[in-house]
Amino acid sequence: MTKSHSEIMAGLSLGKITAYAEQYDASLLQPVPRSLGRDSLGIDPTHLPFIGEDIWHGYELSWLNAKGKPMVALATFVVPINSANLVESKSFKLYLNSFNQSRFSDLRQVYQALQRDLSACAGSTVQVTLHNVNEIMVFQPTWIPGHCIDDLDISIDSYQYDPSLLQLAEPAAAVDEKVHSHLLKSNCLITSQPDWASVYIHYRGQAIDHAALLRYLISFRSHNEFHEQCIERIFLDIWQRCQPEYLLVYARYTRRGGLDINPVRASASYKLPNLRLSRQ
């Protein structure tokens, strides 16, 4: 029997006092149907209006080797956007912590467990990459390409989500533009804890008014929604209201509990810049 929105939310560990498991336990992972967010946006799951992926980084992965010696690694997890489910973030953290006192024969066994369990939770193949903690380039802070719109001297008197704030620049001009802002903040759908992000937008089409775009992004400041849902909302609002020929929206969220989530949504094929922020 299909569960209702409220039943699914009530069943999550998010926002509840939860004991940490002492041993590896795949059952800790909790799926959240993507339809919960996409239905409200009118998205047909059989014809997604974008392509992309959800890129997670794990900084607190540890386990015991066959002799009981602790091992550590960093990890990258890529969840396809056509998966049936999101992986709920608190359950993800609890699951990773269940590795801490568990013995694995080798690194491959750890990889296989992660890939198998996360794919089962998401309902689609999740790509897993394990990194040695001495690797530098993957986690090296970098600049975000394009123009930062945060220095615009604008007045703000409302912090409620408002897509009507978006508008094209005048006079209209065709551009191929990359802009970014570090001022995106939304709140967790369940706990209302703040989620902080920098957002990178690359588009081609009629120029978007920068002040209007910044006011729009700031309007998420009191909005409650999961990371992935916020970025899909931003993509669709810009796509529908500004009608660019091409659009990519890429958010780099700050980590919480040893995990960061970085959703990417694009209208066509893309090549991501190697973004890494000092506050991540």
Side-chain angles (χ1 to χ4, degrees):
M1 185 171 63
T2 303
K3 293 184 179 180
S4 67
H5 183 289
S6 59
E7 288 174 328
I8 292 170
M9 293 296 108
L12 299 179
S13 58
L14 191 61
K16 301 173 184 175
I17 297 175
T18 310
Y20 283 91
E22 289 291 325
Q23 293 294 321
Y24 163 70
D25 185 356
S27 71
L28 292 168
L29 288 169
Q30 296 178 335
V32 177
R34 288 191 186 270
S35 59
L36 295 185
R38 290 176 176 173
D39 286 351
S40 66
L41 293 172
I43 295 175
D44 181 350
T46 63
H47 295 89
L48 294 179
F50 39 62
I51 60 175
E53 56 203 349
D54 299 327
I55 305 169
W56 299 62
H57 296 106
Y59 305 89
E60 300 175 6
L61 176 60
S62 183
W63 66 94
L64 306 178
N65 69 9
K67 295 182 178 180
K69 177 184 175 182
M71 310 296 289
V72 294
L74 302 172
T76 300
F77 312 99
V78 180
V79 183
I81 61 165
N82 59 356
S83 64
N85 307 310
L86 307 174
V87 180
E88 193 282 307
S89 60
K90 182 177 179 179
S91 77
F92 201 162
K93 297 161 194 170
L94 294 170
Y95 164 73
L96 292 179
N97 274 294
S98 78
F99 282 68
N100 292 346
Q101 292 301 115
S102 300
R103 296 194 182 207
F104 293 86
S105 60
D106 53 29
L107 186 65
R108 181 168 181 79
Q109 190 180 34
V110 174
Y111 165 82
Q112 289 174 333
L114 291 166
Q115 205 274 332
R116 178 187 64 243
D117 299 340
L118 291 167
S119 297
C121 182
S124 187
T125 301
V126 174
Q127 298 176 27
V128 177
T129 305
L130 299 180
H131 309 274
N132 187 287
V133 294
N134 291 318
E135 286 187 40
I136 295 177
M137 294 309 298
V138 174
F139 298 91
Q140 184 73 28
T142 61
W143 294 98
I144 300 183
H147 176 68
C148 181
I149 61 176
D150 294 347
D151 292 335
L152 291 170
D153 187 16
I154 60 173
S155 297
I156 305 290
D157 55 16
S158 176
Y159 303 96
Q160 300 300 319
Y161 165 68
D162 185 0
S164 70
L165 292 168
L166 285 168
Q167 63 184 45
L168 296 175
E170 294 183 2
V175 298
D176 185 332
E177 186 172 45
K178 299 172 182 177
V179 298
H180 63 271
S181 172
H182 302 292
L183 303 186
L184 180 61
K185 172 197 169 285
S186 55
N187 301 316
C188 174
L189 180 63
I190 297 176
T191 67
S192 292
Q193 289 183 326
D195 296 321
W196 307 94
S198 297
V199 59
Y200 166 74
I201 298 169
H202 178 200
Y203 73 96
R204 289 191 295 271
Q206 295 298 303
I208 298 172
D209 182 275
H210 287 182
L213 177 59
L214 184 58
R215 287 191 180 94
Y216 164 73
L217 293 174
I218 292 172
S219 80
F220 279 82
R221 199 165 180 84
S222 299
H223 183 69
N224 287 48
E225 207 163 31
F226 290 137
H227 303 64
E228 300 92 336
Q229 296 167 348
C230 282
I231 300 312
E232 292 186 357
R233 187 176 294 276
I234 291 171
F235 176 94
L236 286 177
D237 286 343
I238 296 175
W239 186 253
Q240 294 167 355
R241 292 177 176 272
C242 301
Q243 299 184 346
E245 299 171 8
Y246 169 82
L247 175 63
L248 178 143
V249 179
Y250 181 22
R252 300 289 301 206
Y253 279 88
T254 58
R255 75 181 80 171
R256 182 184 294 163
L259 284 171
D260 65 35
I261 309 172
N262 308 279
V264 183
R265 301 295 182 268
S267 60
S269 61
Y270 58 87
K271 183 177 181 180
L272 289 179
N274 182 28
L275 298 187
R276 185 93 215 144
L277 305 175
S278 57
R279 65 176 180 164
Q280 283 187 302

